Amino acid sequence: EAGVAQSPRYKIIEKRQSVAFWCNPISGHATLYWYQQILGQGPKLLIQFQNNGVVDDSQLPKDRFSAERLKGVDSTLKIQPAKLEDSAVYLCASSPEGRSNQPQHFGDGTRLSIL
Amino acid sequence: DQQVKQNSPSLSVQEGRISILNCDYTNSMFDYFLWYKKYPAEGPTFLISISSIKDKNEDGRFTVFLNKSAKHLSLHIVPSQPGDSAVYFCAASPESSGGGADGLTFGKGTHLIIQP
């Protein structure tokens, strides 16, 4: 079974530029999550999708971050404009739908550096 | 306000001995607890989980203990092996019956070093 795929693996941009990350979840997983992991911290949830609907985006900085999952499979996370404090690893995770207490499976992340 | 706390940033254990990693939480709504293992430049890998209706779950060399009244859980690895050297994250979520908000809240991690 293929795992969660993310691209790119690394991205370096200057502050105030825009950037987008892509995630393809495990086949058949209806729930998709984006997390932000700042150096020295644990991952922090940004947004949760169930199919193509948003379940929880309470911790997403909506003035600069946006995410979509139009067809209920792949997802993109965008930052516009980027700030220095956005330097982090962005992790995508997925889990099966409709079953309680299922572990989330993570991709290897995109490491974003803001200059 | 940190809802999941791992108070030991690092832990060094001799190969073959038991490794015990600890985690405390403050949110009474948490009902499902997980441990993840992370190597550098890789995503977290699921290790073991426990539901709040249990106090112990075992999988091979890994055992997780939950003390709900103390809001404390621990991960035991025995015997410890060199490949166990990694960062271990404790995570928690409210119980989800499918479709609800069940994003994980993570601790800051404990770097486990297994010495030969």
Side-chain angles (χ1 to χ4, degrees):
Chain A
E1 178 183 74
V4 176
Q6 289 188 247
S7 68
R9 287 299 314 274
Y10 305 92
K11 190 73 178 178
I12 301 173
I13 62 172
E14 295 186 347
K15 60 183 179 184
R16 291 188 288 273
Q17 286 187 323
S18 303
V19 65
F21 315 124
W22 173 82
C23 172
N24 184 258
I26 292 172
S27 178
H29 281 194
T31 311
L32 185 147
Y33 312 80
W34 283 102
Y35 290 83
Q36 177 193 58
Q37 186 177 13
I38 292 172
L39 188 65
Q41 306 286 321
K44 172 189 162 187
L45 178 72
L46 293 175
I47 190 167
Q48 176 186 346
F49 290 96
Q50 180 79 13
N51 295 305
N52 59 351
V54 175
V55 175
D56 182 4
D57 63 357
S58 57
Q59 300 186 89
L60 186 74
K62 298 179 186 65
D63 57 335
R64 297 183 300 106
F65 285 66
S66 64
E68 60 183 13
R69 194 183 183 201
L70 293 175
K71 295 181 179 179
V73 180
D74 294 7
S75 176
T76 55
L77 176 69
K78 297 179 182 177
I79 308 175
Q80 180 180 13
K83 291 186 174 181
L84 292 175
E85 61 259 35
D86 299 332
S87 292
V89 175
Y90 291 84
L91 294 161
C92 179
S94 69
S95 68
E97 173 185 20
R99 295 159 61 187
S100 63
N101 292 344
Q102 291 297 308
Q104 297 173 26
H105 299 274
F106 285 80
D108 286 337
T110 297
R111 181 175 296 276
L112 175 65
S113 297
I114 311 294
L115 303 179
Chain B
D1 176 34
Q2 250 191 300
Q3 298 185 59
V4 177
K5 298 179 184 179
Q6 294 177 257
N7 291 320
S8 299
S10 66
L11 175 67
S12 184
V13 175
Q14 261 195 317
E15 181 180 358
R17 306 293 290 266
I18 184 171
S19 296
I20 300 176
L21 295 91
N22 293 302
C23 177
D24 297 291
Y25 64 97
T26 58
N27 190 335
S28 300
M29 298 301 292
F30 289 150
D31 237 330
Y32 181 50
F33 304 89
L34 308 89
W35 285 94
Y36 283 84
K37 175 180 178 179
K38 188 180 182 305
Y39 293 119
E42 294 183 9
T45 301
F46 169 70
L47 201 55
I48 192 169
S49 64
I50 188 166
S51 168
S52 61
I53 61 173
K54 295 185 175 181
D55 55 17
K56 176 183 175 181
N57 189 25
E58 193 171 353
D59 184 1
R61 297 186 297 115
F62 303 93
T63 304
V64 55
F65 296 91
L66 175 63
N67 183 333
K68 199 172 178 183
S69 61
K71 294 188 174 68
H72 177 84
L73 63 155
S74 62
L75 174 68
H76 293 210
I77 306 173
V78 54
S80 300
Q81 298 175 353
D84 296 332
S85 294
V87 177
Y88 289 78
F89 289 98
C90 172
S93 78
E95 182 179 359
S96 167
S97 56
D102 60 357
L104 297 174
T105 300
F106 282 83
K108 290 186 176 182
T110 296
H111 186 193
L112 177 64
I113 302 161
I114 305 301
Q115 295 181 333

